[in-house]
């Protein structure tokens, strides 16, 4: 049900974005205090959007792949942040769970974008 090639593209792209955000937060404390939670959620939603838009196989398939891609990229990025000591370890479970949810929400938006391609 998951297309691995599309999944890897979305997950790798958004993992790189998460790592860039974590690196910025390590050197700029303002980023950790003001951007980490919302930025991590938006990057995970973007992973769901990218996966679902390329997949174009329906709402539930896009949401499932988006949830997995969003959770994976957040888990990797915020694990690095926890290892660096920028966030507490219990926060890792919370932000990963929230990122799974936002990745799943990004999936239907990607399907909407895929559907709009056919209207042109």
């Amino acid at each position: 049900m998951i297309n691995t090639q599309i999944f890897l593209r979305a997950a790798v792209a958004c993992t790189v974005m998460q790592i860039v955000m974590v690196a910025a937060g390590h050197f700029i404390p303002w980023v950790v205090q003001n951007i980490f939670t919302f930025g991590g959620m938006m990057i995970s939603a973007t992973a769901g959007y990218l996966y679902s838009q390329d997949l174009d196989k329906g709402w539930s398939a896009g949401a499932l792949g988006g949830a997995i891609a969003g959770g994976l990229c957040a888990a990797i990025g915020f694990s690095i942040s926890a290892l660096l000591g920028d966030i507490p370890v219990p926060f890792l479970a919370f932000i990963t769970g929230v990122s799974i949810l936002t990745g799943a929400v990004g999936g239907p938006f990607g399907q909407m974008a895929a559907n709009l391609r056919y209207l042109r």
Side-chain angles (χ1 to χ4, degrees), residues 12-103:
V12 167
C14 291
T15 299
V16 168
M17 287 191 275
Q18 291 276 14
I19 291 172
V20 167
M21 183 183 68
V22 165
H26 185 66
F27 296 107
I28 306 168
W30 182 87
V31 173
V32 174
Q33 297 167 356
N34 297 299
I35 296 178
F36 258 30
T37 305
F38 182 71
M41 290 188 310
M42 286 306 298
I43 292 170
S44 294
T46 302
Y49 178 87
L50 292 173
Y51 175 79
S52 185
Q53 184 181 18
D54 282 350
L55 183 68
D56 194 14
K57 297 278 186 197
W59 304 93
S60 60
L64 175 65
I68 297 169
L72 177 69
C73 71
I76 292 170
F78 286 108
S79 293
I80 293 170
S81 182
L83 288 173
L84 292 172
D86 295 331
I87 61 169
V89 175
F91 186 67
L92 178 63
F94 171 73
I95 195 63
T96 301
V98 170
S99 295
I100 290 170
L101 177 65
T102 56

